[in-house]
């Protein structure tokens, strides 16, 4: 069980039933386990027809001929679309504020092939089986060019962020700082291509009423942005588009914006004027719905004899596709973690003939912390200093790039509480010094961090005559527990139980609730929930929902309602907001067969106010499990000749199962970060994965004396 939470200060929050910070069961749990939660592909639409993608079997070149005749004549086939007859689609503005597509090339834009598995056509038929069969009858001829599929053949150039800024920064003079250092570490760390592998596959149902009104059922982490994007793609005003996403079966960054398959499905549905469904196969998802790029990072650390960091350099390389730019932002964490007078970061990016990479849970922070936290461990061994001690000693009070102090930073407690819970003080400071049942035992630790973002959000609340309340907002629950924390916050403010609050999410026709991404929904949305609830009570001149309803004289009378928005103010000019944590783990290794088991795990996190202790701990556990996958298993390899992923589904792409995971003990420490928002909640979701792979590799070093710098750490690397 997670430890109990600190209380909310009275001055900031009117405590009535003290729900916030307790463990609350998921409101949507029963619907999910009984199959009543409706996911995108499950919506029942009369007259629905099915489609199946045709994808490229080469990684680079052109289509010279595409013969659809046999496919068109197959049973049940309604139409076949290729670049020769693609319906009209407009290029959207394509920036976060307005609209955004993951891949700036529109689907079927021309006959060019940029990566294997690229969408080159769509078959529409009465049934899925007919569409899939006909897709295989399409004959494609190609002019093939040599693809770039491996980093060693790629040309790396200065990387730019999605916002067009050079990823490059220097504070002080790294070279001079390194010259004065007495203890040095220089090492290169690599990670493999990773897939999001959500339980719910990517899918869409596009339903047009005439040619100017579109309803889209598609998993979307940000329905309002999706609405604006589809409106621009089809030249419509935003009110003519509605995105409906009540449930998302895992997204991890891959379901924030439309991908080419969704755009194509909607375009074809408009032309055919019938509701159209498209579900991607797992294999199609590998090329067409994003991944985390492989990375190569070099970290150089210099310290003086007492362990103070004199210089840090972190450089990173990753790759993108020829049709969009995404540079995995590995070095963003480096100015945040440890104080040093001399700091340098830089990133390079190569274009390769592989599908477009994108955000994947803690994009940048996860691989970045793998490298930095491995290097810190190497430095601790070099200096013969305890790795917890080294981190405590080198903490920074300020964000070294922004030049701002951190608000409510409790990294020290994360390290100290974690060390105590784990029993770290008993760790022998020699490698290969612990054994159990003929296995080598190792203890490792690493730090966690994730920035805290906040956006604006709007919420509508209605008090109904039956004594219940309704909260309405476009925000999404992608499996993280948003339904539950929205209900809990409303219940707390209105004096109701969680069961008495009904929450409607994931519909673009509701007030703008912001995006479920960057771990920012909790911190952005809940202040608006609280404000709307306070507003409705004020309107009713009441202090609780019950009092408000007592003033309604008969059940036919209109219920009370209010809409309120909350947005960040100028606090970001004064403070840097960041969450902190530490992971401690034990590994047991049978060196003869390269078998590794993780036998113990302790995570201590500082995320400001915890809203729901149960789902917050679940977020950390899920992230640790995903991090263990990153450390030990996850690796999407591509055929070096044809560029096709040779690992592509839930059987061939390995990630942890229950048998691979120990009990994960999660504790939250700190205080509400009231500089951040009125609840003091910085959110949770991504931080838990950061540092996990380094903690595992550091434990492996302690067990075996072998430093592994290449992920995933598969059994062959342990032999
Ligand atoms: Mo996340 S990778 O911001 O969904």
């Amino acid at each position: 069980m997670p430890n109990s939470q600190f209380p909310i200060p009275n001055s900031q929050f009117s405590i009535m039933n003290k729900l916030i910070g307790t463990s609350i069961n998921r409101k949507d749990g029963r619907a999910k386990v009984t199959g009543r939660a409706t996911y995108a592909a499950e919506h029942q639409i009369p007259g629905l027809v099915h489609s199946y993608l045709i994808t490229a079997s080469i990684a680079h070149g052109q289509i010279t001929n595409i013969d659809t005749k046999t496919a068109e004549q197959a049973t049940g086939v309604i139409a076949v679309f290729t670049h020769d007859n693609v319906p009209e689609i407009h290029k959207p503005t394509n920036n976060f504020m307005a609209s955004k597509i993951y891949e700036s090339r529109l689907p079927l834009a021309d006959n060019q092939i940029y990566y294997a598995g690229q969408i080159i056509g769509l078959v529409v038929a009465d049934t899925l089986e007919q569409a899939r069969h006909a897709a295989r009858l399409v004959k494609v001829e190609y002019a093939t060019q040599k693809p770039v599929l491996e980093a060693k053949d790629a040309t790396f150039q200065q990387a730019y962020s999605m916002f067009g800024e050079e990823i490059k920064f220097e504070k002080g003079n790294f070279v001079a700082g390194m010259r004065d250092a007495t203890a040095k570490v220089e090492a290169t760390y690599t990670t493999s291509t990773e897939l999001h592998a959500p339980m719910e596959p990517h899918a869409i149902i596009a339903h047009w009423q005439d040619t100017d009104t579109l309803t889209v059922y598609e998993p979307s982490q940000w329905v309002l942005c999706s609405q604006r994007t589809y409106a621009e793609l089809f030249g419509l005003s935003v009110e003519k588009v509605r995105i409906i996403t009540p449930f998302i079966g895992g997204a991890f960054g891959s379901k924030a914006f439309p991908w080419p398959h969704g755009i194509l499905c909607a375009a074809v549905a408009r032309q055919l004027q019938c509701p159209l469904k498209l579900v991607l196969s797992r294999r199609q998802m590998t090329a067409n719905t994003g991944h985390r790029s492989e990375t190569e990072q070099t970290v150089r650390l210099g310290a003086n004899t007492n362990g103070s960091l004199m210089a840090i350099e972190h450089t990173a390389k990753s790759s993108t596709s020829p049709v969009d730019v995404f540079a995995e932002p590995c070095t963003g964490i480096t100015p945040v973690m440890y104080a040093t007078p001399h700091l340098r970061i830089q990133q390079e990016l190569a274009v390769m003939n592989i599908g477009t990479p994108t955000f994947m849970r803690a994009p940048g922070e996860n691989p970045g912390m793998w490298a930095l936290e491995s290097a810190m461990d190497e430095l601790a061994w070099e200096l013969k200093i305890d790795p917890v001690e080294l981190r405590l000693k080198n903490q920074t009070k300020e964000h070294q790039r922004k030049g701002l102090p951190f608000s409510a930073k409790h990294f020290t407690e994360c390290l100290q509480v974690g060390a105590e819970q784990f029993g770290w003080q008993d760790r022998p400071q020699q490698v290969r010094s612990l054994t159990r049942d003929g296995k080598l035992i190792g203890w490792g630790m690493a730090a966690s961090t994730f920035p805290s973002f906040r956006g604006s959000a709007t919420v509508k609340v209605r008090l109904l005559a039956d004594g219940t309340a309704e909260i309405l907002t476009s925000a999404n629950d992608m499996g993280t527990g948003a339904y539950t924390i929205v209900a809990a916050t409303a219940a707390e403010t209105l004096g109701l139980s969680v069961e008495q609050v009904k929450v409607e999410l994931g519909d673009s026709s509701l007030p703008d609730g912001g995006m479920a991404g960057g771990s920012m929904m909790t911190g952005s949305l809940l202040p608006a929930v609280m404000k709307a609830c306070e507003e409705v009570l004020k309107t009713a001149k009441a202090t609780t929902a019950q009092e408000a309803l007592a003033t309604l004289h008969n059940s036919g009378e209109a219920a009370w309602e209010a809409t309120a928005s909350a947005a960040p103010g100028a606090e970001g000019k004064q403070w840097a907001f960041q969450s902190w944590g530490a992971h401690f783990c034990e590994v047991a290794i049978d060196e003869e067969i390269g078998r590794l088991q993780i036998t113990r795990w302790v995570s201590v996190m500082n995320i400001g106010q915890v809203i729901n202790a149960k789902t917050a701990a679940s977020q950390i556990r899920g992230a640790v499990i995903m991090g263990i996958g990153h450390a030990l298993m996850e690796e999407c390899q591509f055929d070096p000749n044809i560029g096709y992923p040779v690992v592509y589904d839930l059987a061939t792409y390995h990630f942890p199962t229950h048998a691979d995971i120990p009990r994960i003990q999660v504790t939250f420490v700190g205080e509400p970060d009231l500089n951040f928002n009125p609840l003091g909640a910085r959110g949770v979701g991504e931080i838990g994965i950061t540092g996990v792979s380094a903690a595992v590799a550091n434990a492996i070093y302690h067990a075996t004396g072998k430093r592994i710098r290449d992920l995933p750490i598969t059994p062959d690397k342990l032999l």
Side-chain angles (χ1 to χ4, degrees):
M1 287 298 291
N3 283 22
S4 64
Q5 255 295 302
F6 33 77
I8 299 204
N10 287 311
S11 58
Q12 292 291 329
F13 203 88
S14 49
I15 298 176
M16 280 161 284
N17 49 5
K18 299 194 179 73
L19 283 166
I20 288 186
T22 65
S23 270
I24 306 162
N25 290 335
R26 276 175 196 272
K27 259 191 102 59
D28 49 338
R30 189 174 291 269
K32 282 183 171 171
V33 297
T34 55
R36 289 205 187 92
T38 307
Y39 291 85
E42 299 173 332
H43 289 273
Q44 301 298 312
I45 315 284
L48 181 94
V49 295
H50 299 263
S51 60
Y52 200 83
L53 292 173
I54 310 165
T55 56
S57 60
I58 65 161
H60 190 199
Q62 294 85 33
I63 297 168
T64 52
N65 189 45
I66 185 158
D67 178 359
T68 58
K69 235 178 259 122
T70 319
E72 280 160 12
Q73 285 155 10
T75 312
V77 170
I78 296 164
V80 180
F81 292 87
T82 70
H83 66 275
D84 288 328
N85 62 340
V86 61
E88 192 182 7
I89 310 169
H90 306 281
K91 270 217 167 210
T93 314
N94 206 20
N95 75 46
F96 284 97
M97 298 306 121
S99 60
K100 173 98 185 115
I101 51 178
Y102 275 114
E103 204 170 279
S104 27
R105 178 182 181 268
L106 293 176
L108 313 186
D110 49 39
N111 68 339
Q112 299 295 310
I113 305 298
Y114 297 99
Y115 52 85
Q118 179 187 312
I119 297 167
I120 58 170
L122 187 78
V123 179
V124 181
D126 293 329
T127 70
L128 167 65
E129 292 74 14
Q130 289 165 341
R132 186 169 56 202
H133 173 68
R136 284 172 192 155
L137 301 176
V138 174
K139 292 180 205 77
V140 189
E141 288 164 41
Y142 301 98
T144 305
Q145 285 164 261
K146 193 176 156 44
V148 180
L149 296 167
E150 292 179 275
K152 66 175 169 56
D153 304 321
T155 312
F156 286 86
Q157 289 176 339
Q158 172 64 45
Y160 291 82
S161 74
M162 278 160 297
F163 304 101
E165 299 150 342
E166 268 193 348
I167 309 181
K168 198 174 185 178
F169 173 72
E170 183 157 9
K171 165 191 152 172
N173 181 332
F174 171 75
V175 175
M178 204 63 177
R179 204 168 39 225
D180 297 337
T182 49
K184 292 176 193 184
V185 163
E186 172 174 352
T188 297
Y189 305 90
T190 54
T191 65
S192 300
T193 304
E194 289 181 272
L195 306 177
H196 298 76
M199 279 209 287
E200 179 203 20
H202 283 261
I204 177 172
I205 294 172
H207 186 194
W208 290 83
Q209 292 81 40
D210 298 325
T211 55
D212 71 341
T213 309
L214 171 64
T215 304
V216 171
Y217 303 87
E218 182 177 42
S220 165
Q221 295 173 240
W222 192 3
V223 288
L224 264 291
C225 187
S226 201
Q227 178 193 38
R228 292 192 294 267
T229 308
Y230 278 105
E232 286 191 14
L233 285 160
F234 299 111
L236 307 170
S237 57
V238 285
E239 318 80 64
K240 292 287 189 184
V241 179
R242 184 171 172 199
I243 313 292
I244 298 177
T245 309
F247 295 101
I248 304 174
F252 316 114
S254 73
K255 293 173 178 171
F257 310 106
W259 285 105
H261 72 269
I263 300 168
L264 181 59
C265 179
V268 165
R270 184 189 210 177
Q271 173 141 339
L272 297 177
Q273 282 294 299
C274 50
L276 185 61
K277 186 197 287 202
L278 176 61
V279 180
L280 268 58
S281 70
R282 295 273 164 189
R283 187 189 267 274
Q284 290 168 345
M285 281 166 60
T286 58
N288 293 297
T289 60
H291 61 270
R292 195 199 298 274
S293 162
E294 60 180 347
T295 70
E296 182 189 297
Q297 302 172 68
T298 300
V299 178
R300 294 161 78 193
L301 301 177
N304 63 20
T305 42
N306 65 29
S308 293
L309 284 163
M310 309 288 289
I312 304 176
E313 184 191 58
H314 187 176
T315 61
K317 289 178 178 177
S318 66
S319 68
T320 191
S321 79
V323 289
D324 213 317
V325 174
F326 185 88
E328 179 77 20
C330 300
T331 57
I333 42 99
T334 318
V336 171
M337 283 308 297
Y338 303 112
T340 178
H342 307 289
L343 172 85
R344 187 157 81 182
I345 59 176
Q346 198 241 335
Q347 283 198 212
E348 293 185 347
L349 185 66
V351 172
M352 287 170 46
N353 294 104
I354 291 173
T356 305
T358 194
F359 315 92
M360 181 170 154
R361 205 176 200 167
E365 289 86 5
N366 181 37
M369 288 292 273
W370 148 245
L372 183 63
E373 290 299 291
S374 290
M376 284 295 280
D377 197 70
E378 297 201 42
L379 182 66
W381 285 99
E382 175 77 27
L383 287 160
K384 298 189 172 57
I385 291 180
D386 181 274
V388 174
E389 193 56 43
L390 184 67
R391 286 166 175 85
L392 284 169
K393 188 187 275 285
N394 285 290
Q395 289 197 61
T396 169
K397 284 195 167 58
E398 64 154 34
H399 188 302
Q400 297 173 91
R401 192 160 185 181
K402 290 183 174 171
L404 293 173
F406 289 114
S407 173
K409 177 176 180 180
H410 294 272
F411 184 41
T412 304
E413 289 99 305
C414 294
L415 292 163
Q416 288 173 343
V417 172
E420 195 183 314
Q421 288 185 353
F422 190 83
W424 187 256
Q425 72 280 0
D426 298 331
R427 174 179 179 263
Q429 290 220 37
Q430 300 95 39
V431 301
R432 306 183 72 87
S433 54
L434 292 175
T435 56
R436 193 167 64 222
D437 303 332
K439 290 174 186 146
L440 286 166
I441 303 296
W443 293 359
M445 61 79 54
S448 288
T449 197
F450 197 80
S452 316
F453 303 112
R454 184 182 171 200
S456 63
T458 304
V459 167
K460 181 174 184 171
V461 55
R462 299 175 64 206
L463 298 184
L464 307 182
D466 64 0
T468 63
E470 265 182 9
I471 302 290
L472 305 152
T473 177
S474 75
N476 290 93
D477 190 328
M478 50 176 172
T480 46
Y483 280 108
T484 316
I485 59 168
V486 167
T489 305
E492 177 104 48
T493 317
L494 297 168
L496 296 173
S497 68
V498 173
E499 293 70 32
Q500 287 171 307
V501 181
K502 187 176 163 227
V503 181
E504 265 188 51
L505 301 177
D507 184 335
S508 65
S509 64
L510 299 175
D512 185 353
M515 85 173 299
S519 302
M520 67 188 280
M521 178 142 280
T522 299
S524 306
L525 181 62
L526 298 193
V529 171
M530 199 167 81
K531 206 166 154 189
C533 292
E534 285 170 352
E535 205 67 32
V536 82
L537 292 178
K538 214 187 289 171
T539 310
K541 298 191 173 57
T543 58
T544 65
Q546 212 181 353
E547 273 180 41
L549 291 166
T551 61
L552 288 179
H553 297 297
N554 63 64
S555 58
E557 209 167 327
W560 297 108
E561 66 173 56
T563 300
S565 301
E571 62 275 7
K573 292 199 170 78
Q574 207 182 332
W575 299 102
F577 298 106
Q578 189 87 16
S579 285
W580 308 92
H583 298 292
F584 293 79
C585 70
E586 179 186 89
V587 297
I589 297 170
D590 184 340
E591 261 189 328
E592 279 182 25
I593 57 169
R595 181 178 155 83
L596 180 151
Q597 272 179 294
I598 296 175
T599 46
R600 280 205 296 142
W601 199 282
V602 167
S603 299
V604 181
M605 297 284 142
N606 163 225
I607 60 167
Q609 175 65 48
V610 172
I611 306 299
N612 181 354
K614 186 174 188 178
T615 48
S618 293
Q619 280 300 300
I620 299 300
R621 291 201 181 95
V624 169
I625 294 166
M626 206 167 178
I628 290 172
H630 170 70
L632 302 177
M633 300 167 199
E634 296 189 40
E635 179 172 24
C636 177
Q637 288 172 338
F638 300 89
D639 182 307
N641 300 308
I642 60 167
Y644 231 82
V646 295
V647 167
Y648 52 82
D649 60 17
L650 299 184
T652 54
Y653 183 74
H654 293 175
F655 48 74
T657 64
H658 285 290
D660 299 306
I661 300 301
R663 181 172 171 275
I664 298 166
Q665 186 179 331
V666 179
T667 304
F668 296 103
V669 296
E671 61 183 320
D673 187 347
L674 296 168
N675 294 318
F676 186 58
N677 62 23
L679 287 101
R682 290 196 300 244
V684 59
E686 285 162 283
I687 184 169
I689 196 174
T690 68
V692 168
S693 51
V696 172
N698 297 344
I700 291 170
Y701 182 77
H702 185 233
T704 64
K706 196 167 174 181
R707 179 61 65 180
I708 301 174
R709 303 189 182 90
D710 178 33
L711 294 186
I713 304 171
T714 42
D716 52 300
K717 295 175 191 169
L718 293 167
L719 286 172

